[in-house]
Amino acid sequence: MTAGVLGARVVAISDRHAMVPADVLARGDAAAIADAFGAAVARSRAAVVQVRDKDVDGSLLLALARAALAAGARVIVNDRLDVALAAGAHGVHLPERGLAVADARALAPAGFVIGCSRHSADAARAALADGADYVQLGPIFDTPGKGPALGVAALRELPAGRVVAVGGIVSPALAASAFASGAAAVALIRAAWRSGFDPAAFAAGSP
């Protein structure tokens, strides 16, 4: 996967707790949660959103994916190929211990993007050889609870344009370092949902 296929150099990974007001979450109204989620996507101006929420059921995840699509984002659904296909999403992102790339490819339509997470350059290289469109590699920088940082050197070991850097990318300067080392894009969680965040400016090196 290249930045051209992504359509952007920043991938915003969803975090409904940062995107949806606490009172809306507390009510548990799926439609209201999806509406607030979609509004957050629209405010963020994120061109690509990875919808990831490990502790919701499939019906709510589907609603979140559809809300992100309605907000105009290209949507990659984390882990749940069934939800990605039902939503009409642009692709699926497979965790390291998830569905094999080949199995996902057998079920996906033409043009459907299949990416995956890996935590070493060797594993990333193998995933690309297995047919993944891109690999999300990390943590590149220090991230609490995510193990030792790989550093940007790991990005240089992989084909340029097919790697999304993730982990600890909290500033434009760190994003620039990842891009300079061959990353096609950077993936953000907390930073992407802050008020006033501008993904284009972040990717261009502006705070």
Side-chain angles (χ1 to χ4, degrees), residues 179-207:
F179 292 137
S181 298
V186 295
L188 311 176
I189 304 177
R190 288 166 294 177
W193 309 112
R194 292 174 185 155
S195 177
F197 179 75
D198 184 339
F202 188 92
S206 301

Side-chain angles (χ1 to χ4, degrees), residues 134-203:
Y134 74 93
V135 171
Q136 193 163 284
L137 180 67
I140 298 302
F141 302 106
D142 288 330
T143 307
K146 296 298 184 181
L150 300 175
V152 293
L155 298 170
R156 299 189 194 108
E157 297 181 38
L158 300 166
R162 297 188 65 193
V163 181
V164 176
V166 68
I169 302 170
V170 296
S171 70
L174 293 178
S177 179
F179 292 137
S181 298
V186 295
L188 311 176
I189 304 177
R190 288 166 294 177
W193 309 112
R194 292 174 185 155
S195 177
F197 179 75
D198 184 339
F202 188 92

Side-chain angles (χ1 to χ4, degrees), residues 88-108:
H90 298 86
V92 69
H93 184 86
L94 304 173
E96 190 150 22
R97 293 187 176 89
L99 191 66
V101 171
D103 291 332
R105 187 74 69 194
L107 297 169

Side-chain angles (χ1 to χ4, degrees), residues 16 30 53-64 80 83:
R16 78 181 191 282
D53 213 324
K54 299 178 181 179
D55 60 350
V56 303
D57 60 30
S59 62
L60 180 53
L61 190 65
L62 177 60
L64 299 181
R80 294 289 300 269
V83 171

